[in-house]
Amino acid sequence: AQSVAQPEDQVNVAEGNPLTVKCTYSVSGNPYLFWYVQYPNRGLQFLLKYITGDNLVKGSYGFEAEFNKSQTSFHLKKPSALVSDSALYFCAVRDMRRNQGGKLIFGQGTELSVKP
Amino acid sequence: GAVVSQHPSRVICKSGTSVKIECRSLDFQATTMFWYRQFPKKSLMLMATSNEGSKATYEQGVEKDKFLINHASLTLSTLTVTSAHPEDSSFYICSAEPTYRSFRDKQETQYFGPGTRLLVL
């Protein structure tokens, strides 16, 4: 079965420090991986995706993620965290099997808190 | 580009009434739209996949007679919560997938609406 795991419910980082939000996946076939961010009472905003190509993917707001096939991971990173990065982050895999309609399967979410 | 709107953004209703939520793709056509439910600080649960001109595909455990989905055009899908009860209170989010020509092109990111907060009293 296709699945995504975010092992940390919460990540706390000091402003200016690097941040990492972890994600591991389990899929059959090639993974289509995504990161989304959600601010309180808002919908999801797309950050970045990996479909194919370079393992290091750069996205919005200075975020990047590294696809690691051997470790089945797709961790989200940012070199220098901002207080405004505080939000709920979701990793997702798209189920591209023909009978699944391309639905997104989300991880549990990780709440990122960046303190001044 | 790629904007998805939802209406209303917030609704409060009495138990037993029905509530309709609209999801619109404003600047692209969407053959497929998805409806999610999210509980506070929890992950998104896919409820159903809405396909223009055909019946929606519901996920296991989601009552199709309770959550009616209509995808009447390439830019509009509606979710109607029938005979709403307090346990239906939640944050409902839709997403839309741009129309593609072939399955190989089905790599487009889904674009999410801002969500609708439903409170049933």
Side-chain angles (χ1 to χ4, degrees):
Chain A
Q2 320 287 70
S3 66
V4 173
Q6 293 177 244
E8 303 155 315
D9 288 337
Q10 181 147 9
V11 170
N12 298 309
V13 177
E15 187 175 31
N17 283 0
L19 70 87
T20 298
V21 183
K22 295 181 180 177
C23 172
T24 58
Y25 64 89
S26 174
V27 302
S28 55
N30 295 322
Y32 290 68
L33 297 162
F34 299 81
W35 275 101
Y36 291 89
V37 60
Q38 184 181 33
Y39 295 96
N41 295 310
R42 303 289 293 276
L44 271 66
Q45 294 180 34
F46 169 76
L47 281 179
L48 50 81
K49 66 180 177 183
Y50 173 84
I51 304 297
T52 187
D54 290 340
N55 289 343
L56 185 63
V57 179
K58 293 190 182 296
S60 306
Y61 313 121
F63 284 93
E64 58 187 31
E66 185 168 10
F67 172 67
N68 188 317
K69 188 173 183 178
S70 62
Q71 297 185 5
T72 63
S73 67
F74 189 55
H75 301 331
L76 181 70
K77 300 182 180 183
K78 187 172 182 179
S80 179
L82 300 172
V83 173
S84 57
D85 292 330
S86 299
L88 191 54
Y89 289 80
F90 290 101
C91 182
V93 62
R94 189 133 196 227
D95 195 336
M96 298 301 285
R97 293 173 295 177
R98 286 186 180 269
N99 62 347
Q100 294 300 317
K103 62 186 180 184
L104 278 170
I105 299 165
F106 286 90
Q108 307 93 306
T110 299
E111 187 162 4
L112 173 66
S113 177
V114 182
K115 300 294 186 187
Chain B
V3 177
V4 176
S5 69
Q6 279 185 244
H7 179 80
S9 58
R10 182 185 297 265
V11 57
I12 301 173
C13 68
K14 293 182 179 180
S15 185
T17 60
S18 294
V19 175
K20 180 186 284 189
I21 303 170
E22 293 184 348
C23 177
R24 292 182 185 273
S25 55
L26 298 185
D27 51 2
F28 64 96
Q29 293 186 332
T31 305
T32 303
M33 293 183 175
F34 301 86
W35 286 97
Y36 298 85
R37 182 173 178 175
Q38 183 182 31
F39 294 97
K41 295 195 174 182
K42 295 292 185 183
S43 189
L44 280 74
M45 181 193 80
L46 179 65
M47 299 173 67
T49 301
S50 169
N51 296 298
E52 187 267 337
S54 64
K55 291 183 179 180
T57 302
Y58 289 82
E59 295 299 302
Q60 193 171 8
V62 178
E63 300 176 58
K64 60 180 67 176
D65 295 332
K66 171 84 173 165
F67 299 99
L68 299 178
I69 291 173
N70 186 301
H71 194 151
S73 77
L74 287 172
T75 59
L76 173 64
S77 176
T78 60
L79 168 68
T80 301
V81 183
T82 61
S83 186
H85 291 287
E87 58 265 30
D88 298 323
S89 299
S90 192
F91 194 52
Y92 292 87
I93 302 176
C94 73
S95 70
E97 176 186 78
T99 299
Y100 58 93
R101 291 171 296 177
S102 70
F103 190 81
R104 195 179 310 167
D105 296 329
K106 194 177 168 69
Q107 296 182 12
E108 287 289 344
T109 307
Q110 295 179 22
Y111 298 97
F112 284 81
T116 296
R117 175 76 60 193
L118 171 63
L119 177 61
V120 185
L121 301 176

